[in-house]
Amino acid sequence: MKMEFEPVIGLEVHAELSTETKIYCGCKNEFGGEVNSHCCEICTGMPGTLPTLNSRVVDYAIKMGHALHCKINNVCKQDRKNYFYPDLPKAYQISQADIPLCEHGYVDVLLDESCHSKRIGVTRIHIEEDAGKLLHDESFLGSLIDFNRCGVPLIEIVSEPDMRSSEEAKAYLETIKGILGYLDISDCKMQEGSIRCDVNVSLRPKGSEKFGNRCEMKNVNSFSGAQRAIEYEIKRQSEILGKGGTVSQETRRWDDAKGQSFPMRSKENADDYRYFPEPDLGTIVVSPEHVEELRAQIPELPGEKLQRYVKKCGLAYFDANLLCENVEKYTFFERVIEIGGCSLQAAANWLNGDVTRLLGERMTTLFATCLTPEKLIGMLRLIEGGQISNTAGKTVIEEIMFTEKTAEEVVKEKELMQINDTGALEKTVREVIEKNGKVVADYRGGKSNALGFLVGQCMRASGGKANPAAVREILLKQLG
């Protein structure tokens, strides 16, 4: 009988913090710039220099700790992690070993449209410095080093091995990214390396409590890449175990272009890094009062907002999720909720549909336009009151987004008011029936889709101003 295996997955997320300066010096913390223009003696590890901790880094880490329900350690320290980094000139990284700033937390990850969630444990959140960047130059078969990223502040978020599929892992990563964005502590630009992850995967016989040997994969630069890396590793380890082999504990490099991983080195343990307390930095002491001040600054987080939009506002999960992903859209939508007087689902449809399309076409942002919640609600009330059609709304929305006009002014100016006069509509319907005898015969012969054609002809005859619901009702009566 073939043995079934269960994957055990843990993730280490490294997020660059969006402070103005680096973690241990006053150099600008900014992506890009001319090579080696954002560095100094401290971040390039010159002898005799001393680091000074950026207090904003501690505050940002504590905020993330609160968001992930962690215990905050009021007293902790920083440690030297000794390891050869070609792009870290000190040959060690200042990090945190046995006493991290935050530990023993969790996050609830939404897994489906019914808002079913799974709780993933968070082992720890610690602060550390980023390394530089190697630039490989094939012209002389060597590498150059850009130290601009050296000393950029990071938080590392280490999960418990609670995930059992690549889908759960991707949902966890998206949740972490959303929280970082809501807290405004990281720009989360994956294309710039602002958020990266290492993936740990092991397999064990289904039903077993004992973990198998794990493999860590480095160089995972996207969430979809993480999902592919996990699926590849599950398949690779399954084939080894299925043949009676043993999975070696090792670190592997993920090559997303090739869709496979390659061995880098045997997996290190904490002892291999020879941690010891950083002698050039004092103990980190954060008062309980300051910890509570930071807790009070935590906003409603994306998972909470999504559930509120679905359960209390009645939005479809898809639309609610799109709103929650964009700070301008959900800020705008919150004001729509506050004002009221229109269908919230309709407001979400327009924001995620035509408004988003027009923003893309004009290459602008929502708050850079003339659209206000009041103007959008005014248009929706006209549609819901039967005064204009959805089709006319497409003309109105563009006008109210890029001019100071209100929906009422646009409707009046462009004569978009919907025709609801029964007598006028009945006359239009009779004329359409007379001109389309064959289609009428098809409908009466059982071809129900012919009705849609007749409705369209009536709308065309009215210049798009007829109320389509009223037209349909009159057609049904006149066709018997």
Side-chain angles (χ1 to χ4, degrees), residues 231-244:
E231 290 166 357
Y232 172 86
E233 189 61 17
I234 290 172
K235 182 181 178 183
R236 188 187 72 85
Q237 292 186 26
S238 295
E239 290 174 354
I240 293 171
L241 295 173
K243 294 175 182 177

Side-chain angles (χ1 to χ4, degrees), residues 17-23 25-33 37-40 43 54 147-153:
L17 301 178
S18 52
T19 54
E20 291 185 10
T21 56
K22 293 184 180 181
I23 186 169
C25 66
C27 290
K28 185 182 293 186
N29 177 19
E30 182 179 81
F31 179 80
S37 61
H38 297 161
C39 55
C40 67
C43 47
N54 183 341
F147 288 123
N148 282 348
R149 196 175 68 181
C150 207
V152 165

Side-chain angles (χ1 to χ4, degrees), residues 288-308:
E289 293 78 17
H290 188 57
V291 169
E292 289 308 307
E293 285 174 10
L294 294 170
R295 187 195 301 275
Q297 296 173 20
I298 305 300
E300 180 184 44
L301 297 174
E304 300 164 347
K305 190 181 294 293
L306 178 57
Q307 291 196 63
R308 175 165 62 86

Side-chain angles (χ1 to χ4, degrees), residues 1-22:
M1 182 178 176
K2 187 176 179 181
M3 184 176 291
E4 289 188 50
F5 295 101
E6 175 185 53
V8 176
I9 302 162
L11 299 171
E12 300 168 12
V13 177
H14 300 80
E16 291 185 356
L17 301 178
S18 52
T19 54
E20 291 185 10
T21 56
K22 293 184 180 181

